[in-house]
Amino acid sequence: MTYHYRSSLLLWLLLPTWMFCQPDSLSMVRRMQWFKEAKLGIFIHWGIYAVKGIDESWSFYNEYLSHDDYLKQTEGFTASRYMPEEWARLIKSSGAKYTVITTRHHDGFSLWDTQGSELKAPNSAAKRDVLTPFVQAVRDQGIKLGLYYSLPDWSYVDYPNETRNSKRYEPGKEPPRWGHFLNYYQGQLDELQRAYHPDLWWFDGDWEFNADQWQAAKVRKHLLEENPDVIINSRLAGHGDYATPEQGLPVRKPEDPYWELCMTMNDSWGYQPNDTNYKSSRQVIQIFADVIGMGGNLLLDIGPKADGSIPAEQSRILLDLGRWTQKHQEAIYGTEAGLPPGYFNGPSTLSADRETLYLFLPYDPQGQIELRGVKNEINRIRIVGEGTKLDHQVLMKPYWSTHAGLIYIDVPEYVLDHDVTVIAVQLKGKLELE
Ligand code: GLC
């Protein structure tokens, strides 16, 4: 008895501390709210690699060309047709609620006028800071700002790794030199924080060293002190807020309550004219539906050219996406993950009040679609963004049965969207599944 009493007292004393430490504590839920509702972000990989149209940073790291030849690209980074307001307008019109731009990739080339390094846009053919006007344009459009920042800087004299086969030193053997690098990178974060007040930090490259070596806990604490609302992606060596699967669409709903799939439109992050393996707008939209159906966000990448223009194929996809997200807003923003596998043959989302199911038709349906295991009675079924009321039939649900029955919905061809059709199933009450 005493023992039980004591242990439950201890539990009550410890509960607040425990709750505070949980990733899903109330403050976490509040902080992550806009991100959870946003669903779509646009990633921007812009840097000197766009000059030759080669792999960002990796091309010299993997020794496909020399570091010197790679850096010569600064002479071709003109930004002569760069219109940041156009970028921001295009991003907004795609339906994205946030954007993440590469302020500095692994090659160390900074888009802003950093005091930490000479390798920066003002010293390139552009002769100016190209980040500040973009941030301004993003703010003007009311979009949330994410800053991508690579922890590694393979060009920096005090960074251990130079290329795959060439190491400058080992951090453990030369702590002061490593300390010098830590000061440099943390100083750059301070510059970015003070100048741009990002809503989200998107770190990358943490795999090169461990959390202690990066001082990840300290960096996280510092960034949250600077801005208690800021969100940090997973790539700060285990000190982030959400998971970042890359390129591969998860097959099952990820366990992490917050996640974001980052994905290229073709196979490259930066501009590579020789890479024509573009996904169609429809494929991008289908993938987007799959992602939000599993409760995640899509961070879709564009790679502007060295002159600052956005390749036509990429702006086409953004505009097509914009038409579709505009038409289907209610099925996208602020929704939750939809039905688990087996209930419907395709992705679905659920309205925040849990009374409307949105079904994303994964193919051109041949007349009827089938929904299983939904116990609710149905108020109305309609085509999202179009209005047509659809007929349905409930089978295998005689009055004496407790089973949910099968719901068949007739979808006439003339209501189909040429990308992905969405059906709203308005339920009586909150969704109840068998
Ligand atoms: C990888 C690559 C990098 C790219 C990033 C985008 O970490 O190193 O080149 O920027 O993925 O998610």
Side-chain angles (χ1 to χ4, degrees):
M1 203 47 193
T2 335
Y3 171 78
H4 276 108
Y5 169 76
R6 274 209 195 122
S7 59
S8 62
L9 185 69
L10 196 66
L11 188 72
W12 281 110
L13 286 173
L14 289 177
L15 200 60
T17 334
W18 176 81
M19 277 169 57
F20 188 73
C21 298
Q22 288 308 295
D24 228 1
S25 68
L26 277 180
S27 73
M28 173 88 174
V29 171
R30 194 187 49 78
R31 199 157 52 83
M32 296 303 288
Q33 193 176 343
W34 73 258
F35 181 82
K36 183 89 182 164
E37 291 174 357
K39 308 298 174 186
L40 182 65
I42 301 299
F43 211 175
I44 305 172
H45 275 69
W46 196 33
I48 56 174
Y49 39 84
V51 173
K52 283 174 180 278
I54 53 179
D55 285 350
E56 69 289 346
S57 312
W58 291 100
S59 49
F60 76 86
Y61 186 84
N62 286 330
E63 302 178 352
Y64 302 145
L65 85 172
S66 72
H67 188 216
D68 282 352
D69 284 342
Y70 181 91
L71 290 185
K72 281 204 189 102
Q73 293 179 107
T74 48
E75 294 160 20
F77 189 76
T78 64
S80 57
R81 296 173 61 203
Y82 175 43
M83 288 185 287
E85 301 79 16
E86 279 299 307
W87 285 22
R89 256 198 296 275
L90 188 61
I91 290 168
K92 172 102 175 192
S93 65
S94 74
K97 303 294 182 196
Y98 65 106
T99 184
V100 178
I101 185 166
T102 49
T103 61
R104 200 208 70 194
H105 206 263
H106 318 324
D107 60 10
F109 179 78
S110 297
L111 295 186
W112 80 103
D113 192 10
T114 177
Q115 298 311 297
S117 159
E118 291 304 308
L119 189 52
K120 54 184 175 181
N123 295 338
S124 73
K127 294 199 173 60
R128 64 192 192 279
D129 160 8
V130 290
L131 183 58
T132 305
F134 176 68
V135 170
Q136 190 53 51
V138 165
R139 295 298 186 201
D140 290 348
Q141 289 293 337
I143 309 167
K144 297 275 188 192
L145 175 72
L147 299 183
Y148 167 108
Y149 184 83
S150 161
L151 296 166
D153 178 343
W154 295 328
S155 297
Y156 197 74
V157 284
D158 289 317
Y159 189 73
N161 302 342
E162 191 171 15
T163 71
R164 175 170 299 280
N165 295 310
S166 154
K167 307 284 169 241
R168 296 185 181 95
Y169 70 102
E170 278 177 40
K173 291 198 180 140
E174 294 182 47
R177 196 169 175 192
W178 175 244
H180 195 246
F181 175 76
L182 292 177
N183 283 341
Y184 156 65
Y185 107 70
Q186 292 168 17
Q188 283 202 319
L189 292 184
D190 278 337
E191 287 181 2
L192 290 168
Q193 168 59 36
R194 284 185 198 132
Y196 309 115
H197 310 284
D199 302 296
L200 186 153
W201 288 100
W202 214 100
F203 287 103
D204 196 17
D206 59 350
W207 69 83
E208 293 217 312
F209 296 103
N210 66 35
D212 285 346
Q213 287 170 306
W214 291 121
Q215 299 185 330
K218 173 184 149 195
V219 167
R220 177 184 171 87
K221 185 164 172 280
H222 180 62
L223 295 176
L224 278 161
E225 274 162 9
E226 293 280 327
N227 176 5
D229 292 325
V230 86
I231 295 176
I232 300 172
N233 79 334
S234 61
R235 302 187 189 178
L236 184 60
H239 292 264
D241 298 313
Y242 71 89
T244 50
E246 182 170 322
Q247 300 286 25
L249 177 69
V251 176
R252 274 169 229 94
K253 186 175 179 297
E255 278 178 15
D256 202 302
Y258 307 103
W259 63 277
E260 169 195 79
L261 171 70
C262 56
M263 185 180 88
T264 50
M265 289 183 173
N266 49 5
D267 293 323
S268 314
W269 295 105
Y271 173 61
Q272 299 207 20
N274 205 31
D275 177 356
T276 55
N277 194 25
Y278 278 95
K279 297 161 191 72
S280 67
S281 298
R282 188 183 195 186
Q283 285 167 332
V284 169
I285 291 169
Q286 278 171 336
I287 294 167
F288 179 48
D290 274 317
V291 166
I292 61 177
M294 292 186 281
N297 288 2
L298 178 66
L299 184 62
L300 180 66
D301 184 64
I302 58 171
K305 299 182 187 179
D307 66 5
S309 59
I310 297 179
E313 301 89 331
Q314 303 186 5
S315 43
R316 177 78 265 142
I317 292 176
L318 292 185
L319 291 172
D320 289 347
L321 199 53
R323 178 202 68 85
W324 189 86
T325 51
Q326 172 73 24
K327 176 176 171 188
H328 300 105
Q329 313 179 23
E330 62 164 289
I332 303 170
Y333 307 107
T335 60
E336 295 178 20
L339 297 167
Y343 289 78
F344 170 64
N345 187 16
S348 58
T349 57
L350 186 60
S351 61
D353 66 6
R354 309 181 71 86
E355 293 188 7
T356 304
L357 257 179
Y358 295 102
L359 309 178
F360 298 77
L361 307 195
Y363 43 73
D364 293 341
Q366 301 295 314
Q368 277 195 329
I369 60 159
E370 186 191 290
L371 188 59
R372 298 179 187 174
V374 172
K375 288 179 150 181
N376 309 61
E377 286 186 36
I378 286 166
N379 266 336
R380 169 185 280 261
I381 304 185
R382 61 183 163 82
I383 294 286
V384 174
E386 196 271 351
T388 300
K389 185 157 69 105
L390 301 180
D391 291 332
H392 74 279
Q393 193 185 15
V394 182
L395 293 180
M396 298 181 70
K397 195 183 183 182
Y399 69 93
W400 39 262
S401 168
T402 53
H403 284 291
L406 300 178
I407 302 168
Y408 286 98
I409 305 168
D410 292 317
V411 187
E413 215 182 312
Y414 75 90
V415 299
L416 296 180
D417 184 273
H418 65 259
D419 286 320
V420 173
T421 309
V422 187
I423 293 178
V425 181
Q426 293 173 211
L427 309 164
K428 290 206 171 112
K430 299 194 188 302
L431 176 70
E432 270 187 76
L433 294 180
E434 181 167 309

